[in-house]
């Protein structure tokens, strides 16, 4: 890259990154081995490593309060991803789509009473509300709210740790959001429908299978969860 004390960048590089031509040319010593260095975000030159470059170049947002609700070692990754979208209110619900297509007449694929939205899908709609009420039995807390904003507040306030109760309630919330969203999209795009009881059964099945594979500290709480889920 350096020839006769001048930069010798390939022409394609110079055309794409004009700043290369402005860099000062380092003084080379024949008796010193070449070394790759990295100028970090603070402007300091440090040893190069892929990890360091990743850290400096990725977009780093502030840590959210719900990170442990979504991402934990016992989670189901596909469920966690959809829950992550829901936590960020990034789902393309009909109320959002209506802003782009004002002439379209949107209607909830389950109840046909209004366009769907986060609050409607999770869990105000009579279809999803049935599933959510049934699953509250498994969380053993009938006071859990029914609108997405309040559900988020509720789950964020709960302790997120490795106890059986904490893991199971986060698995249930993620499975409910995933399965209801999947059913909504299936109805929207392929016109096939699953009864709400079947979706509830699928949620119970997937959470139970996940839970059985996990290990918890023996104790009253673990035994209580096992009893509730008929796990021997
Ligand atoms: Zn509905």
């Amino acid at each position: 890259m350096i020839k006769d004390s001048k930069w010798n960048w390939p022409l394609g590089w110079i055309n794409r990154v004009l700043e290369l031509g402005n860099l000062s040319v380092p003084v080379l010593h024949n008796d010193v081995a070449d070394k790759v260095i990295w100028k970090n975000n603070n402007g300091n030159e440090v040893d190069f490593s892929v990890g360091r470059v990743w850290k400096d170049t990725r977009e780093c947002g502030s840590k959210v309060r719900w990170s442990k609700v979504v991402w934990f070692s016992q989670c189901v990754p596909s469920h966690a991803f959809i829950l992550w979208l829901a936590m960020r209110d990034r789902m393309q619900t009909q109320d959002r789509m209506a802003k782009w297509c004002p002439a379209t007449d949107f209607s909830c694929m389950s109840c046909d009473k209004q366009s769907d939205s986060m609050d409607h899908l999770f869990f105000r709609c009579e279809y999803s509300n049935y599933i959510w009420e049934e699953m509250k039995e498994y969380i053993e807390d009938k006071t859990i709210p029914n609108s997405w904003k309040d559900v988020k507040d509720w789950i964020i306030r709960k302790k997120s740790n490795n106890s059986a109760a904490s893991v199971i309630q986060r698995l249930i919330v993620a499975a409910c959001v995933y399965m209801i969203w999947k059913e909504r999209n299936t109805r929207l795009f392929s016109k096939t429908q699953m009864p709400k009881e079947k979706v509830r059964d699928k949620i119970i099945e997937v959470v139970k299978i996940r839970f059985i594979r996990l290990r918890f500290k023996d104790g009253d709480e673990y035994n209580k969860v096992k009893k509730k889920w008929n796990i021997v």
Side-chain angles (χ1 to χ4, degrees):
M1 294 296 173
I2 296 172
K3 196 176 172 188
D4 299 330
S5 301
K6 288 179 186 162
W7 285 116
N8 190 30
W9 299 109
L11 198 57
W13 291 24
I14 284 282
N15 289 340
R16 290 184 66 182
V17 188
L18 297 175
E19 293 84 356
L20 289 176
N22 299 328
L23 294 174
S24 54
V25 184
V27 179
L28 299 182
H29 300 282
N30 290 335
D31 53 340
V32 178
D34 287 347
K35 186 179 171 189
V36 181
I37 56 168
W38 173 253
K39 192 179 260 188
N40 67 16
N41 285 343
N42 300 327
N44 299 321
E45 290 180 353
V46 295
D47 287 343
F48 175 90
S49 77
V50 174
R52 205 181 283 271
V53 173
W54 160 248
K55 214 171 153 188
D56 281 347
T57 53
R58 76 192 172 113
E59 276 188 42
C60 207
S62 55
K63 192 174 178 186
V64 290
R65 288 186 304 146
W66 43 261
S67 61
K68 283 186 179 168
V69 172
V70 176
W71 309 110
F72 52 105
S73 60
Q74 304 91 340
C75 75
V76 178
S78 53
H79 295 189
F81 177 68
I82 298 299
L83 182 60
W84 174 74
L85 290 178
M87 284 297 204
R88 293 166 61 94
D89 289 324
R90 288 288 180 87
M91 286 170 152
Q92 288 303 320
T93 46
Q94 291 176 343
D95 61 329
R96 295 184 74 177
M97 288 159 68
K99 289 174 189 162
W100 305 100
C101 323
T104 309
D105 192 14
F106 289 106
S107 185
C108 171
M109 300 306 294
S110 299
C111 67
D112 200 23
K113 287 182 178 168
Q114 63 175 88
S115 57
D116 70 32
S117 63
M118 290 303 289
D119 264 353
H120 185 75
L121 286 169
F122 313 112
F123 302 93
R124 294 268 187 219
C125 173
E126 60 196 38
Y127 181 93
S128 56
N129 188 258
Y130 167 84
I131 296 166
W132 184 232
E133 289 294 337
E134 290 279 302
M135 294 315 298
K136 282 183 193 176
E137 289 286 338
Y138 287 85
I139 303 175
E140 297 193 87
D141 185 351
K142 277 293 201 180
T143 66
I144 305 170
N146 293 331
S147 77
W148 183 237
K149 185 183 168 302
D150 295 337
V151 171
K152 274 203 299 190
D153 287 345
W154 163 78
I155 192 77
I156 287 168
R157 279 200 311 272
K158 303 289 275 187
K159 268 189 189 151
S160 291
N161 54 33
N162 287 326
S163 69
S166 172
V167 169
I168 201 96
Q169 68 196 11
R170 283 177 287 160
L171 287 176
I172 290 172
V173 171
C176 285
V177 170
Y178 176 85
M179 291 292 185
I180 289 168
W181 182 245
K182 191 177 170 201
E183 173 62 16
R184 177 261 194 195
N185 288 339
T186 304
R187 286 177 181 229
L188 189 61
F189 300 116
S190 72
K191 308 293 178 195
T192 58
Q193 299 189 356
M194 206 189 285
K196 53 187 186 278
E197 295 81 4
K198 188 87 186 284
V199 174
R200 173 206 59 198
D201 292 346
K202 274 182 159 284
I203 291 169
I204 293 170
E205 187 188 349
V206 75
V207 171
K208 191 170 176 179
I209 288 172
R210 183 73 185 135
F211 190 77
I212 284 171
R213 291 177 180 162
L214 301 173
R215 288 282 163 268
F216 295 94
K217 228 194 284 179
D218 254 335
D220 291 348
E221 189 194 80
Y222 183 31
N223 291 332
K224 196 176 157 196
V225 175
K226 282 202 292 186
K227 195 176 167 194
K228 184 75 191 171
W229 289 77
N230 292 322
I231 297 167
V232 286

